[in-house]
């Protein structure tokens, strides 16, 4: 599905990089808190289920070959 989206709107995008971390806003857990760490792990698993791979730190990448 992600490949289809990239093919349709990605305009020949070959690489997608994202930071698997929750947005820091007023209602979000504090950065570094156990809740924040758990949220980052949940996001990491979510995106890896779509084919993203680990890069560095909280970053993941997807190659649309």
């Amino acid at each position: 599905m992600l490949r289809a989206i990239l093919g349709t709107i990605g305009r020949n995008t070959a690489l997608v990089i994202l930071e698997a971390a929750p947005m820091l806003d007023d209602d979000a857990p504090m950065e570094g808190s156990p809740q924040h760490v758990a949220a980052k792990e949940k996001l990491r698993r979510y995106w890896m289920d779509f084919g993203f791979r680990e890069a560095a730190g909280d970053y993941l990448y997807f190659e649309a070959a």
Side-chain angles (χ1 to χ4, degrees), residues 34-46:
Q35 296 86 357
H36 187 261
V37 172
K40 287 194 313 184
E41 182 56 34
K42 188 173 182 179
L43 285 168
R44 175 179 294 279
R45 286 192 313 266
Y46 175 83

Side-chain angles (χ1 to χ4, degrees), residues 1-64:
M1 185 167 86
L2 186 56
R3 289 180 202 279
I5 292 170
L6 290 174
T8 302
I9 63 171
R11 306 223 192 274
N12 298 318
T13 298
L15 180 66
V16 177
I17 299 172
L18 63 82
E19 183 178 14
M23 293 181 62
L24 298 175
D25 59 20
D26 294 338
D27 297 332
M30 284 187 63
E31 190 171 9
S33 70
Q35 296 86 357
H36 187 261
V37 172
K40 287 194 313 184
E41 182 56 34
K42 188 173 182 179
L43 285 168
R44 175 179 294 279
R45 286 192 313 266
Y46 175 83
W47 287 110
M48 290 182 80
D49 283 348
F50 282 105
F52 280 79
R53 297 181 183 157
E54 292 186 15
D58 294 328
Y59 290 94
L60 303 174
Y61 73 95
F62 179 85
E63 289 184 277

